[in-house]
Amino acid sequence: KIKELLEKRANIWEQAKALVDRAEAENRDFTAEEQQQYDKMFDEMDSLSNRARRLEEQEREERELGRPARAFKAPLGSEGAREDRDAKAMDAFRSYLATGAIRPELRDMQVADSSGEGTLGGYLVPPQQFISELIKTLDNSVFVRRISRVFQVTSSDSLGAPVLDTDLSDPAWTTEVQDLTSTLDTAMKFDKRELKPQQLAKMVKVSMKLLRISAIPAEALVRDRLAYKFATAMENNFLNGDGSAKPLGVFYASANGISTARDVTEGNSATAISADGLIAAKYALKAQYRNGAQWIFHRDAIKAISKLKDGEGRYLWQQGLASGQPDTILNLPVNESEYAPNTFASGNYVGILGNFQFYWIAELFGMEIQRLNELFAATSQVGFIGRMWVDGAPVLEDAFARVKLA
């Protein structure tokens, strides 16, 4: 199935490239109809990519569990109890149809007639079939933590690391008997980078009744949503945070993180990214940092970049054709984030290339969830508090190059 999705995505990409090639051959921009068609193709490619990614994640989880995910049986007392009750009610309903005997399980299934006396008419409704699946919008992708370097702080409340602020100058060629005091170097200086985990917290309340009777395991759902919302808050700040009681993001210009010296505007216009601008950003990194570097763009930026070609007529953006293989820009992996900036105006950041092994994240204790049984008892509710202490910052600006519009 994954292979089929990726092959379909590749075919759509070939059709999209044909649109671009035809417009370029005629030395013109897209017509409104072509632009609409291209956008529709790109959205479909994005959907196919997300479906393939979800299937990959499902297969990975099933392999780790050693059995299909659907074989998992919830313990009675959660949704298992509800399913057990529904099964008994259905059996009772079938028995009634066959024999006319009303078993106790059917009493709750009687529906009153217009006079309010259901037993006179004997109206019955079959048990409701309910699937334990929550309908919600798709979650945003969160990946920065996965590609960064994460440290668990366990023995103190902060993480410090020495930094070589100023290096030695080059050694000098000398004779064997020359006085070496002339080569003394006093320029080397050390500094320190410190990450101090800050508290991230959220409280929610859930009805006691919902916790007891919901077909969906409500308590597990609350834990899942808290974990996801914490992940998105961290993702947003790993990219955009200003470092004030929160992580310092890669799109925030700061002498403590990535300064404006790492901004690349060469080749870009005031409203658009260019092929030359992307090439300039790639080679703003030394070779040792490019090995392992990854792009981060908003989907709007990736859609625009997908039309760009190099001097040889080759597309800069290439889709990953195999399962688990990422899309690339200039042969470097590209990540799509809803939290990357996407306002295409003069002086704005619109993307970044970086080796995220030089973005450090410090976590204290990990995430914890506290259940409050008594605080909201008067209103028949249970409270849940999620807490996490985390900090993050780029520790070496030379490993990053920000794409900026002119």
Side-chain angles (χ1 to χ4, degrees):
K1 184 65 176 180
I2 295 173
K3 183 180 179 182
E4 291 175 7
L5 292 172
L6 293 176
E7 288 176 349
K8 186 176 180 180
R9 184 172 183 256
N11 291 334
I12 295 173
W13 172 231
E14 291 302 320
Q15 297 172 35
K17 287 196 294 185
L19 279 178
V20 178
D21 292 341
R22 183 166 63 247
E24 287 200 356
E26 298 173 3
N27 195 26
R28 61 175 176 80
D29 201 355
F30 276 171
T31 64
E33 182 180 356
E34 287 173 333
Q35 184 64 56
Q36 184 178 10
Q37 188 178 358
Y38 185 86
D39 291 344
K40 184 178 179 181
M41 289 178 177
F42 209 88
D43 290 342
E44 188 173 356
M45 288 166 55
D46 194 35
S47 174
L48 290 169
S49 177
N50 288 334
R51 288 172 59 191
R53 188 181 301 114
R54 287 195 295 271
L55 286 174
E56 289 174 0
E57 291 173 353
Q58 179 183 352
E59 286 186 356
R60 184 168 58 250
E61 290 298 327
E62 289 180 355
R63 285 195 300 270
E64 291 177 359
L65 290 171
R67 56 178 176 174
R70 291 179 182 175
F72 173 77
K73 184 176 181 180
L76 294 179
S78 56
E79 78 269 24
R82 178 64 174 264
E83 291 172 0
D84 189 55
R85 289 196 300 270
D86 287 350
K88 289 180 179 179
M90 183 61 79
D91 289 341
F93 182 67
R94 292 193 184 103
S95 175
Y96 168 76
L97 293 179
T99 67
I102 299 179
R103 286 165 47 183
E105 290 87 346
L106 288 183
R107 289 173 185 165
D108 292 336
M109 292 158 46
Q110 294 180 343
V111 178
D113 58 15
S114 58
S115 66
E117 298 186 19
T119 55
L120 296 178
Y123 295 97
L124 295 173
V125 294
Q128 179 186 41
Q129 181 178 343
F130 197 93
I131 60 172
S132 298
E133 182 172 331
L134 183 70
I135 300 174
K136 61 181 178 63
T137 56
L138 290 177
D139 292 339
N140 292 338
S141 176
V142 288
F143 58 87
V144 173
R145 188 183 185 280
R146 172 173 50 81
I147 65 175
S148 301
R149 194 168 180 188
V150 180
F151 296 88
Q152 297 294 331
V153 181
T154 58
S155 57
S156 62
D157 65 350
S158 66
L159 176 74
V163 176
L164 183 59
D165 201 26
T166 305
D167 203 355
L168 294 168
S169 59
D170 293 338
W173 296 98
T174 67
T175 62
E176 186 175 355
V177 296
Q178 182 176 338
D179 183 0
L180 297 183
T181 56
S182 61
T183 67
L184 178 64
D185 193 312
T186 59
M188 186 169 67
K189 294 180 181 178
F190 291 91
D191 200 349
K192 185 181 75 168
R193 285 295 175 91
E194 183 179 15
L195 298 178
K196 189 168 185 177
Q198 305 290 332
Q199 179 171 283
L200 188 63
K202 185 70 176 178
M203 179 190 292
V204 294
K205 296 186 294 184
V206 182
S207 159
M208 290 181 179
K209 181 179 180 182
L210 179 64
L211 289 174
R212 290 193 179 102
I213 69 172
S214 174
I216 299 175
E219 188 167 352
L221 174 63
V222 169
R223 290 196 301 267
D224 175 70
R225 299 316 297 166
L226 279 174
Y228 169 70
K229 287 299 184 180
F230 273 52
T232 57
M234 289 187 288
E235 182 92 354
N236 189 15
N237 281 276
F238 293 155
L239 295 181
N240 304 301
D242 61 10
S244 176
K246 62 175 70 72
L248 180 59
V250 294
F251 287 112
Y252 189 86
S254 170
N256 295 321
I258 305 173
S259 69
T260 55
R262 301 305 300 165
D263 297 347
V264 179
T265 59
E266 179 184 344
N268 297 327
S269 72
T271 57
I273 307 167
S274 73
D276 289 344
L278 293 172
I279 293 170
K282 177 178 178 178
Y283 290 100
L285 298 187
K286 292 181 180 179
Q288 57 267 42
Y289 298 135
R290 288 202 306 273
N291 183 21
Q294 302 188 38
W295 300 96
I296 296 179
F297 288 104
H298 189 274
R299 55 191 162 91
D300 293 341
I302 295 177
K303 185 184 294 185
I305 292 169
S306 68
K307 304 175 186 177
L308 301 178
K309 297 181 180 180
D310 63 15
E312 303 297 323
R314 295 168 299 199
Y315 285 92
L316 274 61
W317 181 88
Q318 294 291 330
Q319 63 173 326
L321 299 179
S323 175
Q325 185 178 20
D327 298 336
T328 61
I329 294 175
L330 293 172
N331 297 318
L332 295 174
V334 57
N335 297 282
E336 179 183 314
S337 175
E338 291 297 305
Y339 306 102
N342 67 328
T343 301
F344 296 90
S346 179
N348 285 355
Y349 296 131
V350 289
I352 193 166
L353 175 65
N355 189 320
F356 279 80
Q357 287 301 298
F358 294 96
Y359 190 93
W360 286 11
I361 298 171
E363 294 180 353
L364 183 63
F365 307 134
M367 182 179 177
E368 66 177 34
I369 296 179
Q370 181 179 5
R371 177 173 171 143
L372 307 177
N373 293 319
E374 304 298 333
L375 185 59
F376 304 107
T379 55
S380 299
Q381 292 173 306
V382 174
F384 295 89
I385 297 179
R387 294 187 184 90
M388 191 168 188
W389 290 263
V390 64
D391 197 7
V395 296
L396 187 65
E397 68 170 14
D398 290 350
F400 298 88
R402 274 189 300 247
V403 181
K404 185 178 181 180
L405 299 183

